Amino acid sequence: MTAFTTGNPTFTTAELAGFALHHFGRQGSIRPLPSERDQNARLSCDTQDYVLKIANAAEDTGQIDLQNATMLHLARVGQPGIPRVVPTLSGTDRALVDINGRPSPLRLVTWVSGTPLAETPRDILQLTNLGRFMGGLTRSMRGFGHPQAFRPDFVWSLDHVIQLRDHAEDIADPSRRAMVKRLFVRYETQVLPNLPMLRASVLHQDANDWNVITDPADPARIAGLIDFGDMCHGRTVNELAITLAYALLDTPDLYAATLALIAGFGAEFPLTEPEADLIFDLMRMRLVCSVCLSSRQSKLHPENDYLLISQAPAFALLERLEQIDPAFMIALCRKAAGFEAIPGVGEITAD
């Protein structure tokens, strides 16, 4: 039994309000929030809003340790725009509530105010700022480690995306299935052998357009990042590749968007040349991960039409990228990261 197969906690708003008062001394209105596998609610008090978080009964408590340790670390180093852990009245970082006879962690974190990126118009300045924010976060995570970050079996771990290879068989459309299989072949032959030479760190790994928060007064400014539930240890450049995968969804100008986001990231956290070489392929493999998992879920739950609808933007982007020479996109990524578009081209032109 895992948190992906166990139902979400289902406490009433009155029960949630009671938990907030009893364990944290906070009183206010409760508004339910969507969650993939936990139960979350917004607690609005007089001067501050919070997120009340009850973990799935089957959640590995080690992952709660990882999330809280990360947020506490980021608070210590002064990283802005990140939820802060609110201690209980007894001074601990969580309380425990009973779910069908099983203790489950209850936490309170500060609300990051703003508008989700998904609800704002996209522009190049915004993407540059998104890159800078994620680069700053990556810099802030330097030196942080945690034993629970090593999750080789975690389905969203980009370092271990090869474990989803057989999921490609669940893709219904034959041409899309063939495209994904080709990408797995390319990944196995041209990317996987080079991963050991890349830097590694603990990653947020889910800067999607609902987790990135913008400033309502200035949508181009990134106000923060939420949801640390998909954290794991991996190649540091994965953070950029994942951010780029989501940022390019429905983007009219793929080239300008790619240049802006990578340049912004590199301004705060300079990339190495081997990392720059692999951004494009790693970004595509995040999209592959998404469509493979949704296709497997759709096969298991054919009555859920939303699973296929939600994968449409990722397939659309993969198909757009399929029409572009990978060598060109790699050259573009290298240029955006501050390297020669083609290695050695400077020496050739100098001659």
Side-chain angles (χ1 to χ4, degrees):
M1 182 165 48
T2 71
F4 290 95
T5 58
T6 302
N8 295 39
T10 56
F11 291 102
T12 66
T13 55
E15 289 173 320
L16 295 174
F19 292 153
L21 181 60
H22 177 73
H23 293 289
F24 298 96
R26 262 62 171 194
Q27 188 170 17
S29 62
I30 294 285
R31 186 190 313 166
L33 297 170
S35 178
E36 180 184 14
R37 52 191 185 267
D38 306 320
Q39 183 177 13
N40 297 329
R42 182 173 180 174
L43 171 65
S44 297
C45 302
D46 290 337
T47 59
Q48 173 73 56
D49 282 9
Y50 305 90
V51 180
L52 191 67
K53 304 174 71 67
I54 301 178
N56 188 292
E59 183 67 80
D60 178 1
T61 56
Q63 294 308 308
I64 305 299
D65 297 340
L66 170 61
Q67 293 173 38
N68 279 6
T70 300
M71 288 185 282
L72 290 169
H73 164 79
L74 292 173
R76 284 193 295 270
V77 300
Q79 172 65 36
I82 301 298
R84 303 303 189 208
V85 177
V86 179
T88 66
L89 293 175
S90 60
T92 60
D93 68 348
R94 77 198 74 176
L96 294 176
V97 295
D98 182 84
I99 301 179
N100 299 322
R102 301 180 65 177
S104 185
L106 165 73
R107 295 177 294 155
L108 192 69
V109 300
T110 56
W111 177 266
V112 177
S113 184
T115 305
L117 183 68
E119 297 178 348
T120 66
R122 301 291 173 86
D123 61 39
I124 295 304
L125 177 58
Q126 183 190 66
L127 292 174
T128 301
N129 289 338
L130 174 59
R132 294 187 72 99
F133 183 92
M134 294 306 298
L137 176 70
T138 302
R139 185 181 66 247
S140 293
M141 290 295 290
R142 286 185 303 186
F144 175 78
H146 197 282
Q148 295 297 327
F150 295 91
R151 309 171 70 182
D153 297 328
F154 184 48
V155 294
W156 287 104
S157 172
L158 189 54
D159 265 20
H160 302 96
V161 68
I162 196 68
Q163 69 186 333
L164 301 179
R165 191 171 196 165
D166 66 324
H167 287 44
E169 299 296 341
D170 298 327
I171 298 172
D173 182 272
S175 63
R176 287 176 166 176
R177 183 168 61 247
M179 174 181 65
V180 168
K181 286 183 175 182
R182 288 194 299 272
L183 288 172
F184 271 115
V185 170
R186 178 179 172 88
Y187 174 81
E188 187 173 34
T189 58
Q190 300 189 39
V191 179
L192 195 56
N194 294 309
L195 294 186
M197 72 179 68
L198 305 185
R199 294 175 293 183
S201 56
V202 179
L203 312 172
H204 175 275
Q205 218 196 210
D206 196 18
N208 68 57
D209 53 0
W210 289 102
N211 287 341
V212 174
I213 307 300
T214 66
D215 183 344
D218 179 9
R221 191 182 80 82
I222 306 303
L225 181 70
I226 61 174
D227 193 349
F228 285 70
D230 283 353
M231 294 188 64
C232 69
H233 184 271
R235 304 308 102 182
T236 303
V237 72
N238 290 353
E239 197 79 273
L240 171 57
I242 292 166
T243 305
L244 185 62
Y246 287 113
L248 292 185
L249 295 175
D250 302 319
T251 297
D253 191 335
L254 293 174
Y255 307 137
T258 297
L259 282 167
L261 199 145
I262 294 175
F265 187 96
E268 298 295 328
F269 187 83
L271 297 166
T272 66
E273 197 165 358
E275 289 169 340
D277 286 336
L278 296 181
I279 296 169
F280 175 66
D281 283 293
L282 290 171
M283 178 269 291
R284 287 202 292 180
M285 292 311 294
R286 174 61 176 216
L287 298 170
V288 164
C289 177
S290 179
V291 299
C292 281
L293 289 172
S294 59
S295 295
R296 173 61 57 92
Q297 286 299 107
S298 179
K299 186 174 182 178
L300 296 173
H301 304 283
E303 76 286 353
N304 189 345
D305 294 335
Y306 177 74
L307 291 169
L308 293 180
I309 294 172
S310 64
Q311 69 176 212
F315 266 129
L317 178 54
L318 282 170
E319 288 167 340
R320 288 179 70 189
L321 295 171
E322 179 86 346
Q323 306 305 311
I324 305 172
D325 184 350
F328 174 80
M329 289 301 296
I330 292 171
L332 188 73
C333 292
R334 287 177 54 87
K335 189 69 174 177
F339 300 104
E340 293 179 324
I342 300 173
V345 70
E347 297 178 10
I348 295 172
T349 55
D351 293 340

